[in-house]
Amino acid sequence: MGKPGEAPEAEGGEPFLSRWSRRKEEAREPPPPVKQELDPQAPAPELPPIEKLTAESDYRAFFHPKVGEDVRRAALKRLFGDPRFNVMDGLDVYIDDYSKTEPIPPEMMAGLRQAQNILAWAKEDREALEKQELLKQQRVRALEPPAQPSPPIAEARPDVADAPPLPPEVPGAAVKS
């Protein structure tokens, strides 16, 4: 341990803050470029037979630019055909093959028939309710008194009905005021 007030030293005797500053500067520098192992100018590599490939085989040679796409795909198909890559993880809920055409089991068919019966009963009930509502409306209309025609004008005004009839008009007669 150092004296009080001094920065603690790291394993190599370098003060902590100096070491921290040096590492921070090193982290800012970009890493050296990675040399690509596959040279596009090089001839196509010697490839092992696809039938003899296993999960432990080296597949890097199949990614050379001069290797054909069909050969590359065949090698990858062989790799991913390994049972280790075909493990279900439980998240494949909808993985079933829905193109299978097998008959519906009798238990399920019975449930479907029962559902059809329920729907038919619901339809019959709805139609019966509609008929009852229509009959109810017809009964209400039958109980209502019939609409009376509007009364004649004389009957509508009692003061006019009691007055004597007017004399017939004489042509050319003037009305005196």
Side-chain angles (χ1 to χ4, degrees), residues 12 37 66 73 78 85 92 97 103 111 113 120 124 128 155 160 164:
E37 293 181 23
K66 292 193 176 179
R73 286 184 182 270
R78 177 74 178 190
F85 293 107
D92 301 328
D97 182 10
R113 285 193 184 115
E124 289 171 5
E155 293 177 13
V160 174

Side-chain angles (χ1 to χ4, degrees), residues 59-126:
Y59 287 83
R60 286 182 288 182
F62 289 98
F63 290 96
H64 191 277
K66 292 193 176 179
V67 173
E69 183 69 24
D70 55 339
V71 176
R72 181 179 302 124
R73 286 184 182 270
L76 288 174
K77 186 175 182 179
R78 177 74 178 190
L79 170 66
F80 290 114
D82 189 87
R84 287 181 258 183
F85 293 107
N86 293 326
V87 177
M88 298 295 254
D89 60 359
L91 298 175
D92 301 328
V93 177
Y94 302 108
I95 197 75
D96 287 340
D97 182 10
Y98 295 105
S99 65
K100 291 187 237 175
T101 56
E102 56 186 51
I104 297 176
E107 300 84 27
M108 188 182 293
M109 186 60 81
L112 292 174
R113 285 193 184 115
Q114 182 63 21
Q116 288 177 345
N117 292 338
I118 291 171
L119 292 174
W121 294 333
K123 183 179 177 184
E124 289 171 5
D125 288 346
R126 187 181 73 230

